[in-house]
Amino acid sequence: MATLFDLIYGGANAVAGLTEGAVSAAVTKYGADSKLAFPDTAYFLPTIYAATGVKVKTVGDLTACVGVLKSLISNQPELGDALNAGLATAVGAEIIEALKYAPGSNPYENEGGIGFVPDPIIRSLGVPLVTGDIPGVAVVLGQADDPAKVAAIIKDYQTKGLLTFLIGGVIDQAAAENVKMGLDYRVVPLGHDVTAVTHVVTVAIRAALIFGNITPGDLGGLLAYTKERVPAFVNAFGALNEVIVAAGAGAIALGFPVIVDSDIGDLQVPGALVSVTDHEKIAATSLELRNIKVKAKEINICVGFASAFEGEIIKKADTQAEFYTGSVPGCELVVSRDVKELEDHKITVIGPEIDGEPIVELALATYVEVGGSKMQSDFEPVIERKIHHWLNYIDGVMHTGQRNQFRIRISREAYAAGLRLKDLGEVIYHEIMDEFDSVVDKCQVTLITEPAQAKQILETEALPRYRARDDRLAAMTDESVDTFYTCILCQSFAPSHCCVVTPERLGLCGAVSWLDAKATYQLTPTGPNQPIAKEGLIDERTGVYASVNEAVSGATHGAVDEVTLYSILENPMTSCGCFECICGIMPEAKGVIVVNREYSGSTPSGMTFGELASMTGGGVQTPGFMGHGRHFIASKKFASAEGGVARIVWMPKELKDDVAERLNKTAKELYGIENFADMICDETIATDSEEVLAFLTEKGHPALGMDEIM
Ligand code: SF4
Ligand code: NI
Ligand code: CU1
């Protein structure tokens, strides 16, 4: 019988041979100078770039890579060398996959998989991964003997919130077994060829580059990062061949255990390559081997409840009941009450249930009362905003919006399974008691579908409270508080990154406002948000405080010891990598451009979001470039050291429209300018630097009259 080494070397050599052949064929077909790139990434061929520092840009560049690849496969029967052969296989697979994209085509259009995963998607995964919302990453490849069994495992991962990538025949098997697939469902088909495993390997590798600040070429640092910080594992189904085994060795080199469902006897390597022939045990063994802990969500409802269902979209035709505030009264409100007035776990529905002929259209006031000795009214909106997520976690419920502007749909499927409004109340109750138990002692939930009563709650309670909260938020400035907060949640990916969260500057991920940080600190005093007493003002213009510097230096273990709150040029705040937007200077316009993650087009800087984003991250300060939240754009503190929002000269249209109202208000208050957003250029007007300048000149944009920005 062949040894493990024989298999790995056999596979690695086979892939090397295929790669060499594919490269020389491509050189002949397209020419050595023809461009080669994966779509929407700033990291070239990521495995090659991260491991060697080589930036592959043309088909011809690959010839040298093939040489490196072959040199990795030295035939010595040592496990370390075998892992190198595994890495060589990963490099070969990457080259073969990259060549599918030559020249600029999309080979995955009709493939049933998505192929290469663009940078912005990886950035968007940052927060759910650090919060444990996505507790781990499963790579499921091959073809199972029994489709139902592999589908059950995938569904199990989905219920646990894992992000699962599928490669090979399992894609069709999962589809046939009605597994809900797509990024929104956290089950992502990559491609049918085994080389498509590249597309998950490069996700792990780019995480190291984006969040970990790993220097390209630092192979040791790269492998340490993926092993310690990327919680991934591989499940291989069906018969193994030497190429799969060699690819598995690549996974093991990255620190990902490989679990196979066939009996491989003494080919097993404890902790790294493991046989589990009992399908019932594959998921549990995999999680255990990678030390992934899943927070159990035990709610007694008749349909699935998991964060993986958050992105689910329910079409009108599949809808049993709809609650849409555009046509009926509705609100979602969390209020704090004296504990004595509350009866814990009381769930009430007032008015009709959703029974009847679809589409049932009802009013809905979701009225949640909480009480506890440590409860503060500032936590009400923090809890209230979570309702959106919790209801979305229900399989068969879609929720968009918040407060008195929302749309909720309940699917016919969920209705048929028995889901009713009362269950929504159960979910809200249980999640509040689960997440906010240190401040909430008692909670009762009332769902009102009776239109007159819903309207009354909306008008007499909800609207006045929303208004009062908004006024409080608007009045809350950095000057009006005496405490800021650190956030080090992202340190599990970006070990030397720390956000400083202030009332006028939320965390760059957009998910952590000052109130959130304050609440988290109350809930978990030793958690990721620590208070910073606002003391020792050093520079008012740029926002430098001795206490902030000290806190950041401590939180980053000395990696960053001076940070400004309000400047993008002088010691700007660092970025982990998951920022919603990035701003970068446009010197010729004396301004800055701001680009959001969703925008994939080009910008006046000549760079895409992904390319701009690659300039900063991993907790490093890069003067002139800074990641930030969407909401920060209209803040009076946005680049205030450089003159404030008047510096913004270009944004993608969608972003501009989204922030226009608040931005206009800020510009009016700061400079007396009306409709400032109209002076800002966007891609529908121009992306070419000169044309942008012409537009700004025509509009009399204020940045042109300001000092140079360099
Ligand atoms: Fe990460 Fe900063 Fe958001 Fe905290 S505030 S989760 S550190 S990006
Ligand atoms: Ni209950
Ligand atoms: Cu982050």
Side-chain angles (χ1 to χ4, degrees):
M1 192 179 165
T3 68
L4 182 59
F5 297 113
D6 295 339
L7 285 168
I8 295 174
Y9 284 112
N13 280 315
V15 171
L18 283 175
T19 310
E20 193 169 23
V23 169
S24 59
V27 171
T28 312
K29 186 168 173 198
Y30 305 116
D33 292 338
S34 131
K35 285 204 175 14
L36 184 76
F38 283 122
D40 210 355
T41 180
Y43 302 98
F44 313 96
L45 267 52
T47 313
I48 293 173
Y49 180 53
T52 66
V54 172
K55 301 174 178 175
V56 172
K57 292 176 183 168
T58 65
V59 172
D61 292 341
L62 291 175
T63 314
C65 298
V66 173
V68 175
L69 183 166
K70 285 162 87 182
S71 72
L72 275 171
I73 315 175
S74 74
N75 278 297
Q76 279 158 33
E78 301 267 338
L79 186 60
D81 293 327
L83 294 185
N84 277 343
L87 287 177
T89 309
V91 169
E94 177 171 69
I95 292 174
I96 292 171
E97 286 291 315
L99 285 171
K100 291 186 181 173
Y101 284 88
S105 60
N106 181 3
Y108 278 94
E109 226 158 53
N110 304 308
E111 222 277 350
I114 68 162
F116 189 79
V117 180
D119 292 356
I121 292 180
I122 298 176
R123 291 178 186 280
S124 72
L125 293 173
V127 170
L129 279 163
V130 297
T131 56
D133 189 27
I134 299 180
V137 177
V139 181
V140 177
L141 60 84
Q143 171 131 1
D145 293 340
D146 182 350
K149 286 194 170 145
V150 71
I153 292 170
I154 296 167
K155 282 183 183 167
D156 188 16
Y157 291 149
Q158 191 173 45
T159 312
K160 292 188 161 79
L162 272 81
L163 177 62
T164 304
F165 291 103
L166 307 181
I167 296 132
V170 289
I171 294 177
D172 311 298
Q173 296 188 313
E177 294 288 322
N178 295 317
V179 174
K180 292 181 177 171
M181 284 195 271
L183 197 59
D184 286 341
Y185 292 106
R186 297 200 186 151
V187 176
V188 185
L190 289 177
H192 284 87
D193 295 342
V194 65
T195 47
V197 73
T198 291
H199 302 309
V200 52
V201 169
T202 73
V203 169
I205 283 175
R206 278 177 289 158
L209 296 171
I210 290 173
F211 301 108
N213 195 34
I214 296 296
T215 314
D218 175 10
L219 182 60
L222 173 73
L223 298 182
Y225 183 94
T226 53
K227 184 177 166 60
E228 284 161 25
R229 302 186 185 274
V230 181
F233 60 84
V234 180
N235 287 169
F237 287 90
L240 298 176
N241 58 36
E242 53 184 21
V243 171
I244 294 177
V245 174
I252 293 168
L254 293 167
F256 309 152
V258 177
I259 296 88
V260 300
D261 77 336
S262 50
D263 185 0
I264 55 166
D266 53 10
L267 290 184
Q268 294 190 76
V269 180
L273 179 61
V274 177
S275 248
V276 180
T277 49
D278 179 354
H279 284 98
E280 310 270 300
K281 296 200 177 116
I282 288 182
T285 309
S286 302
L287 296 178
E288 206 182 292
L289 273 175
R290 195 64 180 116
N291 200 16
I292 295 171
K293 302 228 161 39
V294 177
K295 222 171 123 186
K297 291 203 182 294
E298 279 171 46
I299 294 185
N300 199 9
I301 55 172
C302 45
V303 294
F305 181 80
S307 51
F309 298 117
E310 181 160 13
E312 179 185 22
I313 290 169
I314 296 166
K315 294 195 209 89
K316 191 125 200 169
D318 303 326
T319 300
Q320 164 70 22
E322 178 169 79
F323 312 89
Y324 172 50
T325 52
S327 44
V328 292
C331 61
E332 288 170 353
L333 186 66
V334 173
V335 296
S336 39
R337 289 256 181 276
D338 190 332
V339 192
K340 288 191 256 8
E341 294 171 25
L342 298 176
E343 182 188 325
D344 190 40
H345 204 169
K346 182 174 164 196
I347 318 266
T348 321
V349 177
I350 300 176
E353 255 291 353
I354 57 175
D355 301 289
E357 279 301 302
I359 295 172
V360 179
E361 285 183 288
L362 292 174
L364 183 63
T366 302
Y367 189 68
V368 182
E369 293 157 287
V370 294
S373 52
K374 289 207 228 138
M375 181 65 200
Q376 298 180 20
S377 56
D378 270 354
F379 303 155
E380 292 169 0
V382 175
I383 301 176
E384 191 178 286
R385 244 191 13 220
K386 287 275 181 165
I387 293 176
H388 162 74
H389 297 282
W390 295 331
L391 295 188
N392 263 328
Y393 289 175
I394 307 172
D395 188 6
V397 176
M398 176 180 92
H399 183 289
T400 58
Q402 57 168 334
R403 286 189 168 184
N404 59 327
Q405 288 176 347
F406 59 79
R407 185 193 296 274
I408 304 175
R409 279 183 181 169
I410 297 177
S411 74
R412 291 191 195 192
E413 201 184 327
Y415 174 77
L419 190 79
R420 297 294 181 271
L421 278 176
K422 199 165 173 24
D423 299 309
L424 271 50
E426 272 292 331
V427 163
I428 293 170
Y429 171 81
H430 280 275
E431 290 303 287
I432 286 179
M433 296 318 266
D434 183 44
E435 271 191 46
F436 295 96
D437 55 336
S438 48
V439 293
V440 175
D441 299 332
K442 284 185 182 176
C443 166
Q444 60 189 41
V445 181
T446 313
L447 298 152
I448 302 142
T449 58
E450 201 282 309
Q453 281 194 56
K455 188 157 184 271
Q456 197 200 350
I457 294 254
L458 169 70
E459 284 169 2
T460 61
E461 281 219 54
L463 291 177
R465 278 177 188 266
Y466 297 151
R467 233 172 274 131
R469 275 188 211 157
D470 287 347
D471 290 347
R472 165 154 165 72
L473 271 179
M476 219 162 55
T477 59
D478 290 3
E479 289 74 26
S480 73
V481 300
D482 54 16
T483 309
F484 298 151
Y485 290 90
T486 56
C487 187
I488 56 162
L489 202 55
C490 283
Q491 284 198 354
S492 51
F493 281 117
S496 54
H497 170 72
C498 171
C499 279
V500 179
V501 181
T502 75
E504 289 177 89
R505 176 168 191 168
L506 80 172
L508 55 86
C509 56
V512 180
S513 71
W514 185 83
L515 278 181
D516 295 318
K518 183 180 171 198
T520 304
Y521 174 61
Q522 290 289 330
L523 293 163
T524 340
T526 55
N529 300 120
Q530 292 299 314
I532 311 174
K534 204 177 75 180
E535 283 162 6
L537 179 67
I538 295 171
D539 183 5
E540 191 164 6
R541 179 182 64 90
T542 53
V544 184
Y545 291 86
S547 60
V548 171
N549 284 342
E550 207 177 297
V552 170
S553 175
T556 64
H557 312 288
V560 179
D561 49 24
E562 237 185 289
V563 73
T564 61
L565 300 178
Y566 311 131
S567 174
I568 59 175
L569 295 178
E570 301 161 57
N571 295 319
M573 215 176 282
T574 63
S575 296
C576 40
C578 64
F579 36 83
E580 288 187 299
C581 304
I582 184 164
C583 67
I585 52 171
M586 182 175 171
E588 65 272 37
K590 299 183 185 173
V592 298
I593 63 170
V594 180
V595 191
N596 55 308
R597 200 163 56 201
E598 296 78 9
Y599 177 74
S600 59
S602 56
T603 74
S605 68
M607 289 185 270
T608 61
F609 170 84
E611 287 162 338
L612 279 164
S614 72
M615 312 282 291
T616 175
V620 188
Q621 291 175 316
T622 320
F625 295 90
M626 194 180 69
H628 57 83
R630 258 180 191 245
H631 209 83
F632 186 52
I633 297 171
S635 168
K636 286 186 182 147
K637 295 295 193 291
F638 180 89
S640 66
E642 284 80 34
V645 296
R647 289 286 191 181
I648 303 175
V649 295
W650 192 93
M651 281 193 263
K653 184 155 194 327
E654 182 271 319
L655 180 64
K656 187 167 79 172
D657 290 347
D658 183 43
V659 300
E661 197 182 320
R662 289 181 305 115
L663 185 59
N664 285 342
K665 194 162 166 263
T666 304
K668 175 136 196 240
E669 283 173 36
L670 288 179
Y671 324 103
I673 297 174
E674 298 281 352
N675 298 323
F676 174 58
D678 295 345
M679 297 176 163
I680 298 173
C681 195
D682 65 51
E683 81 281 10
T684 66
I685 303 162
T687 52
D688 169 79
S689 169
E690 273 178 33
E691 288 169 33
V692 173
L693 277 176
F695 173 83
L696 299 174
T697 311
E698 181 203 316
K699 292 284 173 185
H701 191 291
L704 298 177
M706 298 170 89
D707 290 342
E708 299 289 334
I709 190 165
M710 291 294 238

